[in-house]
């Protein structure tokens, strides 16, 4: 019995560590959402931008504490969710986050996590445990609508911003929109903290309940809130420079008024969708806003090749993460017990380390993130690995 | 609402995002025009626009806390 308890505890610890690792990658993957345009326009120095975003994500995590102890709610049958399924789903989401970071592609961490859980559930409980209708309504339709809504708002906003301020002195306009852009980007960062850190809190709380460590009614322990907030803030501060570069420099060349219009569009679309119960992916909204900012300024170029690459990545997020989630679950089951989960965890750590080492050969960092776009994510002047 | 998409919520999101997003961008721009003008009345109007923008930001924070 004692051995069984120890194995359960080890499994719980591995799940919690994996959830916090996912939270960390969620942070550095999504720094770009709020700060890419501020960095690209020079409204904020790169290191200052990621520090500000990290602080706001940390604060945001404490602002909204109605934590739902769920994962992929409405998409997979809650009865099919075991600790191993949660773990394998997290590994699927993590792997997709890391691969897309390596290639500098903004993609939704939430959709990656859902994909991972769906894959693990398919293998664990079969097709009947996955709700196709939920998948379409919670993931596929919002993935199409999010960028469209943001493109429309940002295009009109950008057009108006340029038309209305055409007679304002250039330095006054640049200074004014610089301040506005910092404000709207801060709002996006804060919203990100309130949304995404909550997901990790929910997953860890769910794991604690499943393990019997806490009861359903005991609420989320403070250490869970603190650890989740710290992990997402640390990830944000590390800065996913590769993604920041693609969003800030790759899609279009952004000026301060465009950056302001893009961030204002992102903040309003995200907050209104939250308020009216139609949640949209922050990443997809922010990407759409940047495209809209390019379209709204006459003669500005949008690099549709880069946008198409992102679109393809969004299309395969769900199946790719599901595949990894299923493989992770299958491998853990094949080896069996807690040992299986530990082996998969170690394999995931090795994969992450190898990808990190590979990224150092073409390092993108605060020093070269704003270099001229040369048709690919990695600048001509490769940064010093840090 | 159909089986796959909550059309009522989607409609509200689109209208509110358009009004909010475009409105705040426009108000901020008019505010800049106002405060960069030499006339006192224009400066006051510009300041009023910025107050409305701040009210929009506070509404956004309220939405975050209220969910």
């Amino acid at each position: 019995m004692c051995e069984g308890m120890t194995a359960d505890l080890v499994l719980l610890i591995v799940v919690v560590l994996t959830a916090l690792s996912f939270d960390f990658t969620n942070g550095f993957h999504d720094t770009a959402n709020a700060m890419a345009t501020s960095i690209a326009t020079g409204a904020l120095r790169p290191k200052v931008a990621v520090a500000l975003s990290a602080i706001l994500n940390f604060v945001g995590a404490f602002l909204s504490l109605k934590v739902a102890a769920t994962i992929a709610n409405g998409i997979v049958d809650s009865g099919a969710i075991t600790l191993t399924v949660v773990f394998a789903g997290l590994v699927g989401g993590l792997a997709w986050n890391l691969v897309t970071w390596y290639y500098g592609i903004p993609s939704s961490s939430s959709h990656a996590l859902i994909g991972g859980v769906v894959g693990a559930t398919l293998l664990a409980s079969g097709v009947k445990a996955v709700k196709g209708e939920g998948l379409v309504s919670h993931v596929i339709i919002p993935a199409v609508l999010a960028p469209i809504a943001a493109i429309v708002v940002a295009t009109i906003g950008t057009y108006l911003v340029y038309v209305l301020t055409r007679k304002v002195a250039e330095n006054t306009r640049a200074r004014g929109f610089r301040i506005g852009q910092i404000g709207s980007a801060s709002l996006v960062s804060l919203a990100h903290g309130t949304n995404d850190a909550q997901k990790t809190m929910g997953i860890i709380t769910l794991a604690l309940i499943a393990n019997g460590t806490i009861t359903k009614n005991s609420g989320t322990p403070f250490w869970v809130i603190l650890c989740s907030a710290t992990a997402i803030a640390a990830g944000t501060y590390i800065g996913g420079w590769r993604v920041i570069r693609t969003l800030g420099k790759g899609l279009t060349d952004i000026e301060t008024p465009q950056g302001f219009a893009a961030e204002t569009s992102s903040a309003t679309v995200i907050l209104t969708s939250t308020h009216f119960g139609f949640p949209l992916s922050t990443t997809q909204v922010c990407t759409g806003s940047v495209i809209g900012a390019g379209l709204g300024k006459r003669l500005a170029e949008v690099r549709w090749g880069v946008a198409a690459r992102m679109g393809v990545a969004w299309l395969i997020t769900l199946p790719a993460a599901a595949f990894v989630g299923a493989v992770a679950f299958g491998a853990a089951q094949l080896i069996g017990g807690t040992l299986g989960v530990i082996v998969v965890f170690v394999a995931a750590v090795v994969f992450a380390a190898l990808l990190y080492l590979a990224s150092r050969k073409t390092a993108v960092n605060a020093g070269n993130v704003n270099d001229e776009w040369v048709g690919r994510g990695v600048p001509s002047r490769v940064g010093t690995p840090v | 609402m159909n089986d796959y998409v909550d059309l009522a919520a989607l409609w509200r999101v689109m209208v509110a995002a358009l009004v909010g997003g475009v409105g705040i961008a426009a108000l901020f721009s008019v505010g800049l025009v106002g405060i960069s003008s030499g006339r006192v009345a224009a400066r006051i109007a510009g300041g009023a626009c910025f107050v409305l923008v701040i009210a929009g930001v506070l509404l956004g924070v309220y939405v975050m806390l209220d969910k």
Side-chain angles (χ1 to χ4, degrees), chain A:
Chain A
M1 184 182 167
C2 194
E3 270 182 29
M5 278 181 67
T6 309
D8 287 347
L9 185 63
V10 171
L11 178 60
L12 178 67
I13 291 170
V14 172
V15 171
V16 170
L17 285 176
T18 313
L20 291 175
S21 306
F22 177 80
D23 200 25
F24 179 82
T25 65
N26 193 346
F28 78 69
H29 213 286
D30 290 1
T31 314
N33 292 342
M35 291 302 170
T37 61
S38 299
I39 292 170
T41 61
L44 286 168
R45 282 186 288 123
K47 283 282 186 187
V48 174
V50 294
L52 176 63
S53 187
I55 291 167
L56 290 166
N57 267 277
F58 186 83
V59 172
F62 286 89
L63 284 183
S64 174
L65 294 175
K66 291 174 193 162
V67 179
T70 55
I71 186 169
N73 190 29
I75 296 169
V76 298
D77 183 359
S78 59
I81 300 289
T82 63
L83 273 187
T84 312
V85 167
V86 171
F87 166 75
L90 284 165
V91 170
L94 249 172
W96 183 249
N97 269 358
L98 289 172
V99 169
T100 46
W101 158 75
Y102 179 77
Y103 287 105
I105 300 171
S107 85
S108 166
S109 298
S110 305
H111 290 183
L113 178 62
I114 289 169
V117 174
V118 165
T121 306
L122 279 173
L123 208 63
S125 308
V127 182
K128 64 181 187 311
V130 177
K131 301 171 185 169
E133 193 182 304
L135 209 52
V136 173
S137 63
H138 286 71
V139 179
I140 296 169
I141 290 176
V144 175
L145 294 175
I148 294 173
I151 285 173
V152 171
V153 176
T155 302
I156 301 172
T158 304
Y159 178 78
L160 278 180
V161 156
Y162 274 102
V163 168
L164 290 170
T165 61
R166 65 190 181 282
K167 289 181 182 166
V168 176
E170 186 53 42
N171 61 340
T172 308
R173 184 164 85 159
R175 200 172 64 239
F177 283 125
R178 178 175 173 268
I179 295 167
Q181 188 181 4
I182 295 169
S184 49
S186 298
L187 205 57
V188 174
S189 286
L190 199 63
H192 188 264
T194 62
N195 274 327
D196 286 38
Q198 301 291 315
K199 288 173 198 156
T200 306
M201 291 178 206
I203 294 167
I204 298 176
T205 307
L206 179 70
L208 292 171
I209 294 169
N211 191 55
T213 312
I214 59 172
T215 63
K216 269 187 179 177
N217 301 320
S218 22
T220 303
F222 179 73
W223 68 265
V224 174
I225 298 166
L226 185 65
C227 289
S228 301
T230 306
I232 203 163
T236 306
Y237 182 71
I238 293 293
W241 299 107
R242 304 170 97 83
V243 185
I244 290 173
R245 180 167 167 72
T246 305
L247 204 55
K249 301 295 286 185
L251 277 172
T252 187
D253 294 312
I254 298 174
E255 295 176 346
T256 316
Q258 288 169 289
F260 165 74
E263 293 304 332
T264 304
S265 157
S266 299
T268 46
V269 174
I270 291 164
L271 291 171
T272 50
S273 70
T274 303
H275 180 67
F276 291 113
F278 195 88
L280 299 173
S281 156
T282 307
T283 303
Q284 289 162 355
V285 167
C286 292
T287 306
S289 292
V290 174
I291 293 173
L295 291 173
K297 188 192 172 206
R298 273 179 288 184
L299 303 179
E301 178 198 11
V302 174
R303 298 184 187 95
W304 291 108
V306 178
R309 201 161 150 248
M310 289 178 194
V312 171
W314 294 352
L315 277 178
I316 59 174
T317 294
L318 208 72
F323 176 74
V324 178
V327 169
F329 183 84
Q333 288 293 100
L334 199 67
I335 299 163
T338 306
L339 179 66
V341 170
I342 291 171
V343 170
V344 174
F345 180 73
V346 172
V349 171
V350 170
F351 173 73
L354 289 174
L355 211 55
Y356 172 70
L357 288 174
S359 77
R360 287 167 62 95
K361 289 179 188 162
T362 53
V364 182
N365 54 35
N368 65 355
V369 68
N370 268 346
D371 283 7
E372 193 183 343
W373 185 259
V374 287
R376 59 202 170 98
V378 178
S380 308
R381 189 170 56 100
V382 174
T384 310
V386 286

